[in-house]
Amino acid sequence: MLRKTFSFLILTSHGSPDGLAIKAGRHTETLTPSRLSNMLAKTGVRHKVVVISACYSGVFIPRLANPDVLVITAADANHPSFGCQDKAKWTYFGDAFFNVALRKAVSLKDAFLDARSLVRKRELREHFEPSNPLLAGGADVLPLLVGRP
């Protein structure tokens, strides 16, 4: 039986229209969509799932999403996401996707759709402008993520 491998990358940070905030000790920088794309290309892994939970994380979609890379973001390129306060265990998207939807979903796409709905309801209930989580690319990845008995 031929097995296909894929990588699953999860990034959570503060985001901006330029990318993700990265901090290591005193060193801080912004991880741009171009830089992340180049880093992922160097892995040698063809099929990838990238989940980015950050404000404005949709800026990564044009650079990363393609048939071999499924990108899931907590927000579109023009909106913040919510819930990354000090002492919070989850962001709104992280809670909805990882803590709720993935526990019961049949597929990764179904988990995303459920999480997007949960986030939208919570944002509206708390009077926030919707963050508009996105799922893009991955046409060749999604079939590999089907559970088998």
Side-chain angles (χ1 to χ4, degrees), residues 72-87:
I72 297 172
T73 66
D76 65 22
N78 301 309
H79 290 93
S81 57
F82 301 98
C84 58
Q85 298 91 343
D86 285 344
K87 299 185 182 179

Side-chain angles (χ1 to χ4, degrees), residues 49-120:
V49 176
V50 180
V51 180
I52 305 173
S53 183
C55 293
Y56 310 100
S57 48
V59 300
F60 286 87
I61 286 176
R63 220 19 228 216
L64 300 181
N66 64 55
D68 290 331
V69 181
L70 174 66
V71 181
I72 297 172
T73 66
D76 65 22
N78 301 309
H79 290 93
S81 57
F82 301 98
C84 58
Q85 298 91 343
D86 285 344
K87 299 185 182 179
K89 289 185 180 182
W90 299 95
T91 62
Y92 288 10
F93 181 79
D95 183 49
F97 186 66
F98 294 107
N99 198 34
V100 178
L102 275 178
R103 294 178 187 263
K104 61 183 180 181
V106 177
S107 71
L108 197 60
K109 185 174 183 177
D110 288 344
F112 168 78
L113 294 172
D114 188 24
R116 182 176 64 184
S117 175
L118 291 168
V119 167
R120 169 74 47 114

Side-chain angles (χ1 to χ4, degrees), residues 119-133:
V119 167
R120 169 74 47 114
K121 288 175 187 172
R122 185 171 180 181
E123 289 170 340
L124 292 174
R125 186 174 62 244
E126 296 181 15
H127 307 289
F128 290 127
E129 187 174 351
S131 57
N132 305 315

Side-chain angles (χ1 to χ4, degrees), residues 1 20 24 34-35 45 54 63 67 92 105 110 116-117 142 146-147:
M1 170 187 226
L20 288 175
S34 295
R35 185 150 181 234
V45 177
R63 220 19 228 216
Y92 288 10
D110 288 344
R116 182 176 64 184
S117 175
L142 286 167
V146 176

Side-chain angles (χ1 to χ4, degrees), residues 5-11 40 45 47-52 70 72 97-98 102 108 141 145:
T5 59
F6 64 93
S7 64
F8 202 106
L9 175 64
I10 303 165
L11 299 169
L40 291 172
V45 177
H47 299 103
K48 302 171 190 80
V49 176
V50 180
V51 180
I52 305 173
L70 174 66
I72 297 172
F97 186 66
F98 294 107
L102 275 178
L108 197 60
V141 176
L145 301 174

